[in-house]
Amino acid sequence: QEKRRMPVEKEWFDKNLDKLLYCLMQSFSLEDKKQTDAQKRVYYPKDQFNRDTKLIKKGLGIKDKRTLNSKLNTLFEKGYLAEDEDNYYFPFIMGKDHLYYLIDKELLKALTSSSNGIGIGIFIYLAFAANAKKGYQFTITELMRVLGYQTGKDRAGGPSFQLVAGALAGLKESKFLDYSYKKVTLNDGHIITNMYITNIATKTPE
């Protein structure tokens, strides 16, 4: 089973970076295991990308090439996409201290076909966090901060809160993850409700 390396840096999760486009390209990518340059082992031929453009624009919900190019340029500017004459590549920082999440390629394809950029960001973030810390707990507000949404004025009734909560619920409904609730008493006596992951998909849900 082929796997793809997903960034977990703060910049990658920001709402202004199109995670759906990045993951669509990764899901269409190929792997050359004989390639000695690790940065170029996973690639996406440009001629294949050109053939896939109509499908990619449909997946992103856009119609014009200019918008697609703008989204690609942001990936280039942030260092998540590179190119040569023939191929696109997906650079990553080398070294033992660099963190990333490895996801099954077929699971990534399923995610891109059934979720949006918000949902994909949530899945990658929670999958990494749950693997890194046993008993990890989270809230919708935390997910909002991770994705670059303001949390001070936008509480449970706000549009950003509803976007994030809806994407999380969609992941659960599609069986990409599951979670439960736990009441926590703070030092000041207030009781809040956290969520915790009970299951994260490692292969395409049936």
Side-chain angles (χ1 to χ4, degrees):
Q1 289 184 335
E2 288 189 21
K3 294 185 180 296
R4 292 295 180 261
R5 189 184 301 248
M6 292 289 108
V8 291
E9 297 95 0
K10 178 181 178 180
E11 293 77 12
W12 188 79
F13 288 109
D14 189 272
K15 66 181 185 298
N16 294 316
L17 187 140
D18 201 316
K19 289 168 285 296
L20 179 54
L21 172 58
Y22 178 87
C23 290
L24 276 168
M25 294 180 72
Q26 280 268 36
S27 71
F28 290 141
S29 67
L30 306 173
E31 184 176 7
D32 182 3
K33 294 182 178 180
K34 294 182 179 180
Q35 171 63 258
T36 56
D37 184 350
Q39 300 282 5
K40 293 186 175 182
R41 194 166 294 153
V42 174
Y43 65 100
Y44 190 2
K46 287 185 174 180
D47 58 353
Q48 182 64 46
F49 175 82
N50 291 333
R51 291 193 293 271
D52 293 338
T53 295
K54 186 176 181 180
L55 185 63
I56 290 172
K57 288 194 295 185
K58 182 179 179 180
L60 296 174
I62 60 177
K63 295 183 178 180
D64 61 290
K65 187 70 178 292
R66 180 182 297 180
T67 302
L68 177 60
N69 288 338
S70 176
K71 293 176 180 294
L72 284 171
N73 287 337
T74 301
L75 291 175
F76 281 118
E77 291 168 4
K78 298 294 184 181
Y80 294 113
L81 196 63
E83 65 180 332
D84 61 18
E85 186 176 350
D86 299 316
N87 301 304
Y88 291 114
Y89 301 102
F90 308 90
F92 56 90
I93 302 171
M94 303 288 285
K96 64 179 181 179
D97 295 328
H98 179 63
L99 302 176
Y100 55 87
Y101 181 71
L102 280 178
I103 185 172
D104 178 79
K105 183 181 175 182
E106 293 305 312
L107 173 58
L108 185 62
K109 285 183 179 180
L111 263 175
T112 59
S113 66
S114 63
S115 190
N116 58 17
I118 297 173
I120 289 171
I122 290 172
F123 179 86
I124 299 299
Y125 176 77
L126 291 179
F128 176 78
N131 283 342
K133 182 179 180 181
K134 186 176 181 180
Y136 169 75
Q137 297 179 23
F138 64 98
T139 63
I140 298 295
T141 301
E142 177 188 347
L143 296 179
M144 289 174 64
R145 283 196 294 265
V146 168
L147 296 169
Y149 291 101
Q150 293 185 352
T151 59
K153 299 179 180 179
D154 196 355
R155 301 190 182 278
S160 298
F161 186 100
Q162 297 299 332
L163 273 176
V164 174
L168 178 64
L171 290 170
K172 181 174 183 175
E173 184 178 348
S174 301
K175 299 181 180 180
F176 287 109
L177 54 73
D178 202 357
Y179 51 88
S180 192
Y181 300 89
K182 182 177 182 178
K183 291 188 178 299
V184 178
T185 302
L186 301 178
N187 292 334
D188 60 6
H190 284 86
I191 297 176
I192 63 172
T193 301
N194 285 351
M195 289 175 274
Y196 63 94
I197 294 295
T198 56
N199 183 61
I200 286 279
T202 56
K203 61 181 182 179
T204 306
E206 296 181 356

